[in-house]
Amino acid sequence: MTAPTLPTTGREWHLLSRPVGWPKPEDFALVETEVPAPGEGQVLVRNKYLSVDPYMRGRMSAAKSYVAPFELGKVMQGGAVGEVVASDAEGIAVGDHVLHFFGWREYAVVDAKNAVKVDPEAAPLSAYLGVLGMTGLTAYAGLLRTAAFKEGDSVFVSGAAGAVGSQVGQLAKLKGASRVIGSAGSDEKVKLLVEEYGFDAAFNYKTGPVSEQLRAAAPDGVDVYFDNVGGDHLEAAIGRLNRDGRIAVCGMISVYNNTEPAPGPRNLARLIQTRGRIEGFLVGDHYDLQPQFVQEVGPWVRSGELKYRETVVEGIENNLEAFLGVLRGDNTGKMIVKL
């Protein structure tokens, strides 16, 4: 099945040791390996765009979690979009573009059942890793199902200039939020939230206490808090929560590299007064929403009503640095590696 022009080797990132605290370059290695031909029911994909995401830090640890840890000495995984260069599977032809979960590498042999065809004419390929992919569905499910958003709600989003946060805020606005507030880590990102994404207010959490800045930005309180950060943001949101307020916990990037357990919010008792609710969620539990999500959000993306940004890093050799950049907050919108 393999044509003479097909690659025989490709590069991929392996996890060598489990990071303690902040990941270090020596915990990883870029390795050249053989590229096998696809077997029956498989396709060989030349990856074009790779995704790096905060949750990957958890998979580098051996701790029991909702998904298996990366194996030491083996290639890591992540979202990817690429072009099929060889196929031994019905329904997927050479030249088709597919979304799959075998990133951190240049070439991937993928079972056809684990590959989803995407249309490069309908949206840029990289969008299927972000605004129209798992990132977008995370925002959609967390806001609408977990947080039970309803028209007229006041919404606070932390990490609001990131890939998920920026989409949460815009979805809330498009669906009739009374007020949308975001936090971000730089004045440039704050400006972006207000001027491009249409947030009603935003603040730089590095320039003052989050609780004080949120109180000023949300004088009438918060009905929904979408949490990407945890820590002082979660405590501040509980402090501003209105009666029957809901908190959807998507991520807690502020504690991912901690070596000791982080203290929890000191004001949890306020949930009694507000009848508030905190609920964690994983996008994998909400894939039943995918058709509805694409049907509703796709037109907003195409019309420009829902805007998105990408931070693009070029080259497989820079995949690790792009991932570390996500943990530092270097990205605006979705961090993408272009091969």
Side-chain angles (χ1 to χ4, degrees):
M1 179 86 216
T2 305
T5 54
L6 291 179
T8 57
T9 63
R11 291 174 293 172
E12 58 186 34
W13 281 95
H14 289 197
L15 181 66
L16 299 185
S17 56
R18 302 205 181 278
V20 177
W22 197 267
K24 302 181 295 295
E26 52 265 34
D27 294 324
F28 308 87
L30 182 60
V31 178
E32 186 156 334
T33 62
E34 289 187 13
V35 176
E40 185 177 352
Q42 295 182 322
V43 294
L44 175 61
V45 182
R46 176 186 290 117
N47 286 333
K48 291 188 171 183
Y49 295 94
L50 307 177
S51 177
V52 286
D53 303 279
Y55 79 86
M56 294 173 175
R57 177 62 184 87
R59 295 198 67 187
M60 293 171 187
S61 166
K64 188 175 181 180
S65 184
Y66 59 87
V67 64
F70 293 135
E71 292 185 55
L72 293 179
K74 300 285 185 68
V75 62
M76 295 182 289
Q77 297 174 333
V81 176
E83 181 180 357
V84 175
V85 294
S87 175
D88 194 5
E90 288 186 23
I92 301 181
V94 171
D96 284 345
H97 290 84
V98 295
L99 170 67
H100 60 88
F101 205 67
F102 295 91
W104 289 84
R105 68 198 84 186
E106 291 179 303
Y107 294 91
V109 173
V110 183
D111 290 343
K113 64 182 180 181
N114 296 326
V116 178
K117 285 205 288 188
V118 296
D119 184 1
E121 299 297 322
L125 284 175
S126 58
Y128 293 102
L129 293 175
V131 67
L132 289 177
M134 185 175 72
T135 301
L137 182 60
T138 300
Y140 188 86
L143 178 69
L144 301 182
R145 179 175 279 173
T146 306
F149 170 86
K150 59 185 184 298
E151 186 176 354
D153 279 344
S154 172
V155 178
F156 171 43
V157 188
S158 59
V164 173
S166 59
Q167 198 154 343
V168 171
Q170 291 182 84
L171 286 173
K173 289 293 290 184
L174 287 164
K175 285 186 160 290
S178 62
R179 187 168 177 81
V180 175
I181 303 116
S183 72
S186 73
D187 292 342
E188 291 77 14
K189 290 180 179 180
V190 167
K191 184 178 180 182
L192 174 73
L193 291 176
V194 175
E195 295 184 1
E196 185 166 333
Y197 293 151
F199 282 58
D200 296 290
F203 59 85
N204 181 348
Y205 67 85
K206 295 179 180 177
T207 61
V210 174
S211 58
E212 293 179 12
Q213 296 196 76
L214 180 59
R215 189 181 304 114
D220 296 323
V222 170
D223 300 302
V224 168
Y225 170 47
F226 194 102
D227 190 15
N228 290 306
V229 174
D232 55 356
H233 281 74
L234 178 55
E235 186 170 295
I238 292 171
R240 296 303 298 158
L241 206 62
N242 289 333
R243 167 76 188 263
D244 298 317
R246 290 89 66 204
I247 295 174
V249 181
C250 176
M252 290 195 174
I253 198 169
S254 69
V255 302
Y256 285 171
N257 293 306
N258 287 6
T259 56
E260 297 293 333
R266 296 166 295 182
N267 57 349
L268 282 174
R270 194 167 185 278
L271 295 175
I272 303 168
Q273 173 189 341
T274 62
R275 290 74 149 180
R277 173 170 61 83
I278 302 179
E279 183 177 345
F281 76 98
L282 294 171
V283 67
D285 296 332
H286 302 281
Y287 282 134
D288 62 296
L289 290 176
Q290 179 76 23
Q292 175 184 323
F293 159 67
V294 173
Q295 183 178 14
E296 185 169 17
V297 176
W300 285 335
V301 173
R302 287 191 289 275
S303 70
E305 289 174 272
L306 197 152
K307 301 173 174 63
Y308 68 99
R309 288 280 191 99
E310 295 174 339
T311 299
V312 180
V313 172
E314 300 212 4
I316 185 76
E317 64 277 8
N318 293 315
N319 212 93
L320 176 60
E321 182 55 30
F323 167 70
L324 296 176
V326 171
L327 297 183
R328 290 191 298 261
D330 294 351
N331 56 305
T332 299
K334 184 77 181 75
M335 181 72 91
I336 298 284
V337 178
K338 181 181 180 181
L339 304 190

